[in-house]
Amino acid sequence: MQTMQSRVVPLEEGKDPGVTGRTNQTKALPIRLLQLFVLFVLFCITFSVISILTIRHFGINGVMTTVTSSFQPCYEEPSGLDRWIRPPSNLQHTMTDKELLWRASLMPRIKKYPFERVPKIAFMFLTRGPLPLAPLWERFLKGHEGRYSIYVHSLPSFQPHFHTSSVFYGRHIPSQVSEWGRMSMCDAERRLLANALLDISNEWFILVSESCIPLYNFSVIYHYLMKSKYSFIGAFDDPGPFGRGRYNNNMAPEVNITQWRKGSQWFEVNRKLAISIVEDTTFYQKFEKFCRPACYVDEHYFPTMLTIQAGNSLANRSITWVDWSRGGPHPATFGRADITEEFFKRMLEGHRCTYNDRNSSICFLFGRKFAPSAMEPILHLAPKFLGF
């Protein structure tokens, strides 16, 4: 009985050995926290003393500069010359034509470039939709990266589907509907020029259609253009009903009838003349208002304007070959059956012209009009006759 009481009393008085152990741990816990707090205070005091001594020695600016310079942003806008000379990585933009032409008309006044500039040819494709001869152009351009750029103007509704490895991938510019013979066609050509001018390395600007092909390999065409003293655009005085007969007296005084010119819309111009085309506002207004069918503005606007403004810079001939021998308002179109060795000889041989004021037998660098069915035989004969 006494033994049982001795067991019960400790339980009633809370003297269980396990409870006593937890009490001892509770007393030890505040001591450990106090030690950690003291260490923290000592660390803060030490850091403060070091900071004060550093600021006194180097100054506040030196300390702040060190801290700031260690921050690396995720993206940094180029602040040097690179932001001005690097071509747009994406041809799609939200500029209006007015904004685009203004931006493209900006040009440096110092002729010598402060960086190593490799002049490029801008191939500007004016097309309604697909580019059926693209494989031929791919072969022509292969291995010459860095010396050319491509721009495509198609109908706004057209959705291109080029492989990512194609030279045409991502090269369509913001476009609008253009109609043959109307000012909207010249608008499309100026739009192509303006987008190409945004790349400061583009030196020559070649307007081609989806039915055009190159007639020589890239190296021949590149050197022919880069060494030329003149731009190539047809501009001649036609006294007949399809020349001066389209002149409107309201064009004066900016354009009188003796200055009225006619030529092919397919041109090859250097950078200086390309800027002259996109910056024009005087002649544009006259042609937009007074040159409408049966005055076909794409045959008269650029030849007339450039003859007046820069006549001495024109070769007064086109280097895009076409065949008018079949008659009609449009040149002949060539399909699969037309592409023979005899055809290539006729297209490439027997020509006489002037190049840099000297006689030359190389007069045409491009040819049109070729149907999609012509591509296979052209690819077959190209190594022998075209050099690629």
Side-chain angles (χ1 to χ4, degrees):
M1 188 67 179
Q2 185 177 357
T3 304
M4 291 181 62
Q5 288 179 351
S6 62
R7 291 179 180 175
V8 173
V9 172
L11 292 175
E12 291 177 349
E13 294 180 355
K15 300 287 181 72
D16 183 76
V19 175
T20 304
R22 284 195 297 269
T23 302
N24 293 336
Q25 290 178 2
T26 303
K27 291 180 180 179
L29 186 59
I31 296 174
R32 187 172 301 172
L33 289 174
L34 181 61
Q35 291 173 340
L36 291 173
F37 177 77
V38 171
L39 289 174
F40 176 77
V41 171
L42 290 174
F43 173 79
C44 290
I45 293 172
T46 303
F47 179 80
S48 298
V49 171
I50 294 173
S51 299
I52 292 171
L53 293 175
T54 303
I55 292 172
R56 286 181 178 177
H57 187 271
F58 295 103
I60 186 67
N61 291 333
V63 176
M64 293 304 294
T65 301
T66 303
V67 174
T68 304
S69 62
S70 65
F71 174 73
Q72 297 294 331
C74 297
Y75 174 77
E76 185 177 351
E77 277 288 334
S79 57
L81 186 63
D82 189 57
R83 66 178 297 186
W84 300 102
I85 65 176
R86 185 172 59 186
S89 58
N90 185 1
L91 296 185
Q92 296 299 314
H93 55 75
T94 59
M95 285 186 285
T96 64
D97 276 359
K98 185 177 181 180
E99 294 169 336
L100 174 65
L101 295 174
W102 178 87
R103 172 64 183 85
S105 68
L106 301 179
M107 61 180 294
R109 308 301 298 182
I110 299 177
K111 294 182 179 180
K112 187 174 182 180
Y113 293 90
F115 60 95
E116 185 177 353
R117 178 180 183 261
V118 178
K120 296 192 297 185
I121 299 175
F123 293 99
M124 308 180 302
F125 289 81
L126 181 59
T127 174
R128 295 181 61 83
L131 294 172
L133 302 178
L136 180 69
W137 285 94
E138 297 265 7
R139 184 195 288 185
F140 165 74
L141 295 168
K142 186 176 181 180
H144 300 284
E145 294 76 12
R147 294 200 292 171
Y148 70 85
S149 52
I150 290 177
Y151 304 85
V152 184
H153 186 293
S154 61
L155 290 175
S157 58
F158 177 72
Q159 296 295 324
H161 297 285
F162 289 103
H163 191 270
T164 54
S165 61
S166 171
V167 297
F168 294 99
Y169 179 78
R171 304 310 299 176
H172 282 68
I173 67 170
S175 59
Q176 297 182 29
V177 175
S178 56
E179 300 178 82
W180 177 69
R182 296 187 179 274
M183 201 61 179
S184 58
M185 183 66 72
C186 294
D187 289 337
E189 295 170 14
R190 279 163 43 108
R191 199 173 295 123
L192 278 164
L193 281 170
N195 278 277
L197 280 167
L198 298 183
D199 184 345
I200 200 168
S201 292
N202 286 332
E203 184 61 28
W204 277 86
F205 303 79
I206 316 302
L207 182 67
V208 292
S209 72
E210 75 278 6
S211 68
C212 288
I213 66 169
L215 299 183
Y216 293 90
N217 63 45
F218 184 89
S219 295
V220 171
I221 291 178
Y222 183 87
H223 291 294
Y224 191 99
L225 292 172
M226 293 300 168
K227 293 181 180 180
S228 176
K229 298 189 297 184
Y230 303 102
S231 288
F232 299 95
I233 183 167
F236 60 94
D237 184 5
D238 180 0
F242 303 112
R244 289 196 179 190
R246 295 173 177 175
Y247 176 78
N248 187 321
N249 289 327
N250 290 309
M251 301 290 290
E254 288 78 9
V255 181
N256 62 55
I257 194 168
T258 61
Q259 298 170 313
W260 186 254
R261 295 293 184 269
K262 182 180 179 179
S264 170
Q265 75 176 108
W266 311 105
F267 57 74
E268 300 81 17
V269 298
N270 60 26
R271 189 172 185 90
K272 183 178 180 180
L273 263 65
I275 293 176
S276 296
I277 292 173
V278 301
E279 71 181 2
D280 173 55
T281 56
T282 302
F283 297 98
Y284 180 93
Q285 295 176 2
K286 288 287 185 176
F287 277 88
E288 181 182 36
K289 190 173 182 180
F290 299 114
C291 183
R292 297 184 177 184
C295 174
Y296 297 98
V297 66
D298 50 286
E299 296 180 7
H300 297 281
Y301 173 38
F302 296 151
T304 300
M305 178 193 67
L306 292 177
T307 296
I308 296 172
Q309 289 194 325
N312 293 332
S313 299
L314 303 180
N316 283 333
R317 67 181 180 91
S318 173
I319 51 176
T320 300
W321 179 87
V322 292
D323 183 1
W324 291 95
S325 63
R326 299 181 185 180
H330 301 286
T333 299
F334 305 102
R336 176 187 294 271
D338 298 298
I339 309 304
T340 63
E341 292 193 6
E342 291 72 22
F343 171 80
F344 272 104
K345 291 178 181 179
R346 178 168 66 89
M347 183 171 56
L348 296 172
E349 298 175 0
H351 303 295
R352 291 292 180 268
C353 60
T354 58
Y355 172 73
N356 287 345
D357 303 319
R358 294 184 177 182
N359 293 329
S360 175
S361 59
I362 300 180
C363 302
F364 301 103
L365 301 185
F366 308 96
R368 64 184 304 267
K369 303 171 56 175
F370 294 90
S373 63
M375 184 182 69
E376 185 177 342
I378 292 176
L379 285 172
H380 177 70
L381 293 172
K384 180 177 181 179
F385 289 96
L386 307 184
F388 63 90

